[in-house]
Amino acid sequence: MLRSCPGQDGYMNVGVLLYHHVGEFEVAAPTAVLGSARRFQGDDATIEPFTVARSRFSVQTVSGLTLTPKWAFASVPRTDVLIVPGGLGVERAAKDLATIRFLATTSSRATVVAAIGSGAVLLGVAGVLRDQNICGPPELLERLEEFEVGEHRQEAFVRNPTGVWCAGTPDAGVDLALALVREHAGPDLARKVAIALGR
């Protein structure tokens, strides 16, 4: 189970990081699951997904899709779960001090911090991956070893007891988000969302 229910008020605020040249699949996978869960909850919704970036200025995804963050780092509400998607812009984002500072600070307060694909690089630069088990494509392994990670697992989705989660692919990002829904709101809601998304 999550380390207590995220937020003392029973709500789970889930921030999904945006940056220039983020992978749209890595963003869409968890937000589709969490948004569907919120819709199923209706007026009593306790799951609040949102996007967050350095500023409210729009960013372009890998394929040129334009996304506008809901929140900027400076004004983002309490973030119980932080999801860090991968994308071609990872290395550039890793050099942005404001982004790395945000990741480090938010990770120290969040219940769950989750990387999807190459988003693990950003968590590594922020100092979050030390001694944590990871997963993902083999070509990422050498880069991630710089961060003194634990084991590189073959599973598509890895959960460390510390609350650091890792999904190796966007598809595994769906499973990661379903696990969040299951632990926060129960298996029935997770099952409804999975069926609605054709899982």
Side-chain angles (χ1 to χ4, degrees), residues 27-102:
V27 174
T31 53
V33 171
L34 297 165
S36 295
R38 180 172 174 71
R39 275 195 313 279
F40 277 121
Q41 285 186 315
D43 293 339
D44 298 321
T46 59
I47 297 172
E48 183 63 47
F50 54 80
T51 51
V52 58
R54 187 173 200 225
S55 74
R56 292 280 332 277
F57 288 117
S58 297
V59 300
Q60 282 197 323
T61 68
V62 169
S63 67
L65 182 70
T66 300
L67 299 177
T68 303
K70 182 169 184 178
W71 296 99
F73 294 161
S75 57
V76 68
R78 183 195 78 218
T79 304
D80 304 304
V81 176
L82 177 63
I83 297 177
V84 183
L88 294 179
V90 155
E91 293 295 348
R92 179 179 171 186
K95 294 173 184 169
D96 182 71
L97 292 179
T99 298
I100 298 307
R101 196 176 302 121
F102 169 77

Coordinates of all heavy atoms in Angstrom, one line a residue, residues 27-102:
V27 N 3.2 10.9 -21.4 CA 2.3 11.8 -20.7 C 0.9 11.2 -20.8 O 0.2 11.2 -19.8 CB 2.3 13.2 -21.3 CG1 1.3 14.1 -20.7 CG2 3.7 13.8 -21.2
A28 N 0.5 10.8 -22.0 CA -0.9 10.3 -22.2 C -1.3 9.1 -21.4 O -2.4 8.9 -20.9 CB -1.2 10.1 -23.7
A29 N -0.3 8.1 -21.3 CA -0.6 6.8 -20.6 C -1.2 7.1 -19.2 O -2.3 6.6 -18.9 CB 0.6 5.9 -20.6
P30 N -0.4 7.7 -18.3 CA -0.9 7.9 -16.9 C -2.1 8.8 -16.8 O -3.0 8.6 -16.0 CB 0.3 8.4 -16.2 CG 1.2 9.0 -17.2 CD 1.0 8.2 -18.4
T31 N -2.1 9.9 -17.6 CA -3.2 10.9 -17.5 C -4.5 10.3 -18.0 O -5.6 10.6 -17.5 CB -2.9 12.2 -18.3 OG1 -2.5 11.9 -19.6 CG2 -1.8 12.9 -17.6
A32 N -4.4 9.4 -19.0 CA -5.7 8.7 -19.5 C -6.3 7.8 -18.4 O -7.5 7.8 -18.1 CB -5.4 7.8 -20.7
V33 N -5.4 7.1 -17.7 CA -5.9 6.2 -16.6 C -6.4 7.1 -15.4 O -7.5 6.8 -14.9 CB -4.7 5.3 -16.1 CG1 -5.1 4.6 -14.8 CG2 -4.3 4.3 -17.1
L34 N -5.7 8.1 -15.0 CA -6.1 8.8 -13.8 C -7.3 9.7 -14.1 O -8.2 9.9 -13.3 CB -4.9 9.7 -13.4 CG -3.7 8.9 -12.9 CD1 -2.4 9.8 -12.8 CD2 -4.0 8.2 -11.6
G35 N -7.3 10.3 -15.4 CA -8.5 11.0 -15.7 C -9.8 10.2 -15.8 O -10.8 10.6 -15.4
S36 N -9.6 9.0 -16.3 CA -10.8 8.1 -16.3 C -11.2 7.7 -14.9 O -12.4 7.7 -14.6 CB -10.4 6.8 -17.1 OG -10.1 7.1 -18.5
A37 N -10.3 7.5 -14.1 CA -10.6 7.1 -12.7 C -11.4 8.3 -12.0 O -12.4 8.1 -11.3 CB -9.4 6.8 -11.9
R38 N -10.9 9.5 -12.3 CA -11.6 10.7 -11.7 C -13.0 10.8 -12.3 O -14.0 11.1 -11.5 CB -10.8 11.9 -12.1 CG -11.4 13.2 -11.5 CD -10.5 14.4 -11.7 NE -11.2 15.6 -11.4 CZ -11.5 16.0 -10.1 NH1 -11.2 15.2 -9.1 NH2 -12.1 17.1 -9.9
R39 N -13.2 10.5 -13.5 CA -14.6 10.6 -14.1 C -15.5 9.6 -13.5 O -16.6 9.8 -13.2 CB -14.5 10.4 -15.6 CG -14.3 11.6 -16.4 CD -14.6 11.5 -17.9 NE -14.0 10.3 -18.5 CZ -12.8 10.1 -18.9 NH1 -11.9 11.1 -18.7 NH2 -12.3 9.0 -19.4
F40 N -15.0 8.3 -13.3 CA -15.8 7.3 -12.7 C -16.1 7.7 -11.2 O -17.2 7.3 -10.7 CB -15.0 6.0 -12.7 CG -15.2 5.2 -14.0 CD1 -14.1 4.9 -14.7 CD2 -16.4 4.8 -14.5 CE1 -14.2 4.1 -15.9 CE2 -16.6 4.1 -15.6 CZ -15.4 3.8 -16.4
Q41 N -15.3 8.4 -10.5 CA -15.6 8.8 -9.2 C -16.6 9.8 -9.1 O -17.3 10.0 -8.1 CB -14.3 9.3 -8.5 CG -13.3 8.2 -8.1 CD -12.2 8.7 -7.3 OE1 -11.6 9.8 -7.7 NE2 -11.8 8.1 -6.2
G42 N -16.8 10.6 -10.2 CA -17.9 11.6 -10.2 C -17.6 12.8 -9.2 O -16.5 13.2 -9.0
D43 N -18.7 13.2 -8.6 CA -18.7 14.3 -7.7 C -17.8 14.1 -6.4 O -17.4 15.0 -5.8 CB -20.1 14.7 -7.2 CG -20.9 15.3 -8.4 OD1 -20.4 15.7 -9.4 OD2 -22.2 15.2 -8.3
D44 N -17.6 12.8 -6.1 CA -16.8 12.5 -5.0 C -15.3 12.1 -5.3 O -14.6 11.4 -4.6 CB -17.4 11.3 -4.2 CG -18.8 11.6 -3.7 OD1 -19.0 12.7 -3.3 OD2 -19.7 10.7 -3.8
A45 N -14.9 12.6 -6.4 CA -13.5 12.3 -6.9 C -12.4 12.7 -5.9 O -12.5 13.8 -5.3 CB -13.3 13.0 -8.2
T46 N -11.5 11.8 -5.7 CA -10.4 12.0 -4.8 C -9.1 12.0 -5.5 O -8.0 12.1 -4.9 CB -10.4 11.0 -3.6 OG1 -10.2 9.7 -4.2 CG2 -11.6 11.1 -2.8
I47 N -9.1 11.7 -6.8 CA -7.9 11.7 -7.6 C -7.8 12.9 -8.5 O -8.8 13.2 -9.2 CB -7.9 10.4 -8.5 CG1 -7.9 9.2 -7.6 CG2 -6.7 10.4 -9.5 CD1 -8.1 7.9 -8.4
E48 N -6.8 13.7 -8.4 CA -6.6 14.9 -9.1 C -5.3 14.9 -9.9 O -4.3 15.3 -9.4 CB -6.6 16.1 -8.2 CG -6.6 17.5 -8.9 CD -7.8 17.7 -9.7 OE1 -8.9 17.5 -9.3 OE2 -7.6 18.2 -10.9
P49 N -5.4 14.5 -11.2 CA -4.2 14.6 -12.0 C -4.0 16.0 -12.7 O -5.0 16.6 -13.0 CB -4.4 13.5 -13.1 CG -5.9 13.5 -13.3 CD -6.5 13.9 -11.9
F50 N -2.8 16.4 -12.8 CA -2.5 17.7 -13.4 C -1.1 17.7 -14.0 O -0.3 16.8 -13.7 CB -2.7 18.9 -12.5 CG -1.9 18.7 -11.2 CD1 -0.5 19.0 -11.2 CD2 -2.5 18.3 -10.0 CE1 0.2 18.9 -10.0 CE2 -1.8 18.2 -8.9 CZ -0.4 18.5 -8.8
T51 N -0.9 18.6 -15.0 CA 0.5 18.7 -15.5 C 1.2 19.9 -14.9 O 0.6 20.8 -14.5 CB 0.4 18.9 -17.1 OG1 -0.5 20.0 -17.4 CG2 -0.1 17.6 -17.8
V52 N 2.5 19.8 -14.9 CA 3.3 20.8 -14.2 C 4.6 21.0 -15.0 O 5.2 20.0 -15.5 CB 3.6 20.5 -12.7 CG1 4.3 19.2 -12.6 CG2 4.3 21.6 -12.0
A53 N 5.1 22.2 -15.1 CA 6.3 22.5 -15.8 C 7.0 23.7 -15.2 O 6.4 24.4 -14.3 CB 6.0 22.7 -17.3
R54 N 8.1 24.0 -15.8 CA 8.9 25.2 -15.2 C 8.1 26.5 -15.3 O 8.1 27.3 -14.4 CB 10.1 25.4 -16.1 CG 11.1 26.4 -15.6 CD 12.4 26.4 -16.4 NE 13.4 27.0 -15.6 CZ 14.2 27.9 -16.1 NH1 14.2 28.2 -17.3 NH2 15.1 28.4 -15.3
S55 N 7.3 26.6 -16.3 CA 6.4 27.8 -16.4 C 5.1 27.3 -17.0 O 4.9 26.2 -17.4 CB 7.0 28.9 -17.3 OG 7.0 28.5 -18.6
R56 N 4.1 28.3 -17.2 CA 2.8 27.9 -17.8 C 2.9 28.0 -19.3 O 1.9 27.8 -20.0 CB 1.7 28.9 -17.3 CG 1.3 28.7 -15.9 CD 0.4 27.6 -15.5 NE -0.5 27.2 -16.6 CZ -1.7 27.7 -16.9 NH1 -2.1 28.8 -16.2 NH2 -2.5 27.2 -17.8
F57 N 4.1 28.4 -19.9 CA 4.2 28.4 -21.3 C 4.1 27.0 -21.9 O 4.5 26.0 -21.3 CB 5.6 29.0 -21.7 CG 5.7 30.5 -21.5 CD1 6.7 31.0 -20.6 CD2 4.9 31.4 -22.1 CE1 6.8 32.3 -20.3 CE2 5.0 32.8 -21.9 CZ 6.0 33.2 -21.0
S58 N 3.4 27.0 -23.1 CA 3.2 25.7 -23.7 C 4.6 25.0 -24.1 O 5.6 25.7 -24.4 CB 2.4 25.9 -25.0 OG 1.1 26.3 -24.6
V59 N 4.6 23.7 -24.1 CA 5.8 23.0 -24.6 C 5.3 22.1 -25.8 O 4.2 21.8 -26.0 CB 6.3 22.0 -23.5 CG1 6.8 22.9 -22.3 CG2 5.3 21.0 -23.1
Q60 N 6.3 21.7 -26.6 CA 6.1 20.8 -27.7 C 6.6 19.5 -27.4 O 7.7 19.3 -26.9 CB 6.7 21.4 -29.0 CG 6.0 22.5 -29.6 CD 6.4 22.7 -31.1 OE1 7.6 22.5 -31.4 NE2 5.4 23.0 -31.9
T61 N 5.8 18.5 -27.7 CA 6.2 17.1 -27.5 C 7.1 16.6 -28.6 O 7.4 17.4 -29.5 CB 4.9 16.2 -27.4 OG1 4.4 16.1 -28.8 CG2 3.9 16.6 -26.4
V62 N 7.6 15.4 -28.5 CA 8.5 14.9 -29.5 C 7.9 15.0 -30.9 O 8.6 15.3 -31.8 CB 8.8 13.4 -29.2 CG1 9.5 12.7 -30.3 CG2 9.6 13.3 -27.9
S63 N 6.6 14.8 -31.1 CA 6.0 14.8 -32.4 C 5.5 16.2 -32.8 O 4.9 16.4 -33.8 CB 4.9 13.8 -32.5 OG 3.8 14.2 -31.7
G64 N 5.7 17.2 -31.9 CA 5.3 18.5 -32.2 C 3.9 18.9 -31.7 O 3.4 20.0 -31.9
L65 N 3.3 18.0 -30.9 CA 2.0 18.3 -30.3 C 2.3 19.4 -29.2 O 3.3 19.3 -28.5 CB 1.4 17.1 -29.6 CG 0.1 17.2 -28.9 CD1 -1.0 17.4 -30.0 CD2 -0.2 15.9 -28.1
T66 N 1.4 20.4 -29.1 CA 1.6 21.5 -28.1 C 0.7 21.2 -26.9 O -0.5 20.9 -27.0 CB 1.1 22.8 -28.7 OG1 1.9 23.1 -29.9 CG2 1.3 24.0 -27.7
L67 N 1.4 21.2 -25.7 CA 0.7 21.0 -24.4 C 1.0 22.2 -23.5 O 2.1 22.7 -23.5 CB 1.3 19.7 -23.8 CG 1.1 18.4 -24.5 CD1 1.8 17.3 -23.7 CD2 -0.3 18.1 -24.7
T68 N -0.1 22.6 -22.8 CA 0.1 23.7 -21.9 C -0.1 23.2 -20.5 O -1.1 22.6 -20.1 CB -1.0 24.8 -22.2 OG1 -0.9 25.2 -23.5 CG2 -0.9 26.0 -21.2
P69 N 1.0 23.4 -19.7 CA 0.9 22.9 -18.3 C -0.2 23.6 -17.5 O -0.5 24.8 -17.7 CB 2.3 23.3 -17.7 CG 3.1 23.6 -18.9 CD 2.2 24.0 -20.0
K70 N -0.8 22.9 -16.6 CA -1.8 23.5 -15.7 C -1.1 24.3 -14.6 O -1.7 25.4 -14.2 CB -2.7 22.4 -15.1 CG -3.8 23.0 -14.2 CD -4.8 21.9 -13.8 CE -5.9 22.6 -13.0 NZ -6.9 21.6 -12.6
W71 N 0.0 23.9 -14.2 CA 0.7 24.6 -13.1 C 2.2 24.8 -13.4 O 2.8 24.0 -14.2 CB 0.7 23.8 -11.8 CG -0.7 23.6 -11.2 CD1 -1.5 22.5 -11.4 CD2 -1.5 24.5 -10.5 NE1 -2.7 22.6 -10.7 CE2 -2.7 23.9 -10.1 CE3 -1.2 25.8 -10.0 CZ2 -3.7 24.5 -9.4 CZ3 -2.2 26.4 -9.3 CH2 -3.4 25.8 -9.0
A72 N 2.7 25.9 -12.9 CA 4.2 26.1 -12.9 C 4.8 25.7 -11.6 O 4.1 25.5 -10.6 CB 4.4 27.6 -13.1
F73 N 6.1 25.4 -11.6 CA 6.7 24.9 -10.4 C 6.4 25.8 -9.2 O 6.2 25.4 -8.1 CB 8.2 24.9 -10.6 CG 8.7 23.9 -11.6 CD1 10.0 24.0 -12.1 CD2 8.0 22.8 -12.0 CE1 10.5 23.1 -13.0 CE2 8.4 21.9 -12.9 CZ 9.7 22.0 -13.4
A74 N 6.4 27.1 -9.4 CA 6.3 28.1 -8.3 C 4.9 28.1 -7.7 O 4.8 28.5 -6.5 CB 6.6 29.5 -8.8
S75 N 3.9 27.6 -8.4 CA 2.6 27.7 -7.8 C 1.9 26.3 -7.7 O 0.7 26.3 -7.3 CB 1.7 28.6 -8.7 OG 1.7 28.2 -10.0
V76 N 2.5 25.3 -8.0 CA 1.9 23.9 -8.0 C 1.4 23.6 -6.6 O 2.0 23.9 -5.6 CB 2.9 22.9 -8.5 CG1 4.1 22.6 -7.5 CG2 2.2 21.5 -8.8
P77 N 0.2 23.0 -6.5 CA -0.3 22.6 -5.2 C 0.5 21.3 -4.7 O 1.3 20.8 -5.4 CB -1.8 22.2 -5.5 CG -1.8 21.9 -7.0 CD -0.8 22.7 -7.6
R78 N 0.1 20.9 -3.5 CA 0.7 19.7 -2.9 C 0.7 18.6 -3.9 O -0.3 18.3 -4.5 CB -0.1 19.4 -1.7 CG 0.4 18.2 -0.9 CD -0.6 17.6 0.1 NE -1.6 16.8 -0.6 CZ -2.9 16.8 -0.3 NH1 -3.3 17.5 0.6 NH2 -3.7 16.0 -1.0
T79 N 1.8 17.9 -4.1 CA 1.9 16.9 -5.0 C 2.2 15.6 -4.3 O 3.3 15.4 -3.7 CB 3.0 17.1 -6.1 OG1 2.8 18.4 -6.7 CG2 3.1 16.1 -7.1
D80 N 1.2 14.7 -4.2 CA 1.4 13.4 -3.5 C 2.1 12.4 -4.3 O 2.9 11.6 -3.8 CB 0.0 12.9 -3.1 CG -0.8 13.9 -2.3 OD1 -0.3 14.3 -1.3 OD2 -1.9 14.2 -2.7
V81 N 1.9 12.4 -5.6 CA 2.5 11.5 -6.6 C 3.1 12.3 -7.7 O 2.4 13.2 -8.2 CB 1.5 10.5 -7.1 CG1 2.2 9.6 -8.2 CG2 0.9 9.6 -6.0
L82 N 4.3 12.1 -8.0 CA 5.0 12.8 -9.1 C 5.3 11.8 -10.2 O 6.0 10.8 -9.9 CB 6.2 13.5 -8.6 CG 7.1 14.2 -9.7 CD1 6.3 15.4 -10.4 CD2 8.4 14.8 -9.1
I83 N 4.9 12.0 -11.4 CA 5.2 11.1 -12.6 C 6.1 11.9 -13.5 O 5.8 13.0 -13.9 CB 3.9 10.7 -13.3 CG1 3.1 9.8 -12.3 CG2 4.3 9.9 -14.5 CD1 1.7 9.3 -12.9
V84 N 7.2 11.3 -13.9 CA 8.2 11.9 -14.7 C 8.3 11.1 -16.0 O 9.0 10.1 -16.1 CB 9.6 12.0 -14.0 CG1 10.6 12.7 -14.9 CG2 9.5 12.6 -12.6
P85 N 7.7 11.6 -17.1 CA 7.8 10.9 -18.4 C 9.1 11.1 -19.1 O 9.9 12.0 -18.8 CB 6.7 11.6 -19.2 CG 6.0 12.5 -18.3 CD 6.9 12.8 -17.1
G86 N 9.4 10.2 -20.0 CA 10.6 10.3 -20.8 C 10.3 11.0 -22.1 O 9.3 11.5 -22.3
G87 N 11.4 11.1 -22.9 CA 11.2 11.8 -24.2 C 12.6 12.2 -24.7 O 13.6 12.1 -24.0
L88 N 12.6 12.7 -25.9 CA 13.9 13.2 -26.5 C 14.5 14.4 -25.8 O 15.7 14.6 -25.9 CB 13.7 13.5 -28.0 CG 13.3 12.4 -28.9 CD1 13.1 12.8 -30.4 CD2 14.4 11.3 -28.9
G89 N 13.7 15.1 -25.1 CA 14.2 16.3 -24.4 C 14.7 16.0 -23.0 O 15.0 17.0 -22.3
V90 N 14.9 14.8 -22.6 CA 15.3 14.4 -21.3 C 16.7 15.1 -20.9 O 16.9 15.7 -19.9 CB 15.4 12.9 -21.1 CG1 16.3 12.5 -20.0 CG2 14.0 12.4 -20.7
E91 N 17.7 14.9 -21.8 CA 19.0 15.4 -21.5 C 19.0 16.9 -21.4 O 19.7 17.5 -20.5 CB 20.0 14.9 -22.5 CG 20.2 13.4 -22.5 CD 20.9 12.9 -21.2 OE1 21.4 13.7 -20.4 OE2 20.9 11.6 -21.0
R92 N 18.3 17.6 -22.2 CA 18.2 19.0 -22.1 C 17.5 19.4 -20.8 O 18.0 20.3 -20.1 CB 17.4 19.6 -23.3 CG 17.2 21.1 -23.3 CD 16.5 21.6 -24.5 NE 16.1 23.0 -24.3 CZ 15.3 23.6 -25.2 NH1 14.9 23.0 -26.2 NH2 15.1 24.9 -25.0
A93 N 16.4 18.8 -20.4 CA 15.7 19.1 -19.2 C 16.6 18.8 -18.0 O 16.6 19.4 -16.9 CB 14.5 18.2 -19.1
A94 N 17.5 17.8 -18.1 CA 18.4 17.4 -17.0 C 19.4 18.5 -16.7 O 20.0 18.5 -15.6 CB 19.1 16.1 -17.4
K95 N 19.6 19.4 -17.6 CA 20.6 20.5 -17.4 C 19.9 21.7 -16.9 O 20.6 22.7 -16.6 CB 21.3 20.8 -18.8 CG 22.2 19.7 -19.2 CD 22.7 20.0 -20.6 CE 23.5 18.8 -21.1 NZ 23.9 18.9 -22.5
D96 N 18.6 21.7 -16.8 CA 17.8 22.8 -16.3 C 17.8 22.8 -14.7 O 17.1 21.9 -14.2 CB 16.4 22.8 -16.9 CG 15.6 24.0 -16.4 OD1 16.0 25.1 -16.8 OD2 14.7 23.9 -15.6
L97 N 18.4 23.7 -14.1 CA 18.5 23.7 -12.6 C 17.2 23.8 -11.9 O 16.9 23.1 -10.9 CB 19.5 24.8 -12.1 CG 20.9 24.6 -12.5 CD1 21.7 25.8 -12.0 CD2 21.5 23.3 -12.0
A98 N 16.3 24.6 -12.5 CA 15.0 24.7 -11.9 C 14.2 23.4 -11.9 O 13.5 23.0 -10.9 CB 14.2 25.8 -12.6
T99 N 14.3 22.7 -13.0 CA 13.6 21.4 -13.1 C 14.2 20.4 -12.1 O 13.4 19.7 -11.4 CB 13.7 20.8 -14.6 OG1 13.1 21.8 -15.5 CG2 13.1 19.5 -14.7
I100 N 15.5 20.3 -12.1 CA 16.1 19.3 -11.2 C 15.8 19.7 -9.7 O 15.6 18.8 -8.9 CB 17.6 19.2 -11.4 CG1 17.9 18.8 -12.9 CG2 18.3 18.3 -10.4 CD1 17.2 17.5 -13.2
R101 N 15.9 21.0 -9.4 CA 15.5 21.4 -8.0 C 14.1 21.0 -7.7 O 13.8 20.6 -6.6 CB 15.8 22.9 -7.9 CG 15.8 23.4 -6.5 CD 16.2 24.9 -6.4 NE 17.4 25.2 -7.1 CZ 17.5 26.1 -8.1 NH1 16.4 26.7 -8.6 NH2 18.7 26.3 -8.7
F102 N 13.2 21.2 -8.6 CA 11.8 20.9 -8.4 C 11.6 19.4 -8.1 O 10.9 19.0 -7.2 CB 10.9 21.3 -9.6 CG 9.5 20.8 -9.6 CD1 8.6 21.3 -8.7 CD2 9.2 19.7 -10.3 CE1 7.3 20.8 -8.7 CE2 7.9 19.2 -10.3 CZ 6.9 19.7 -9.5

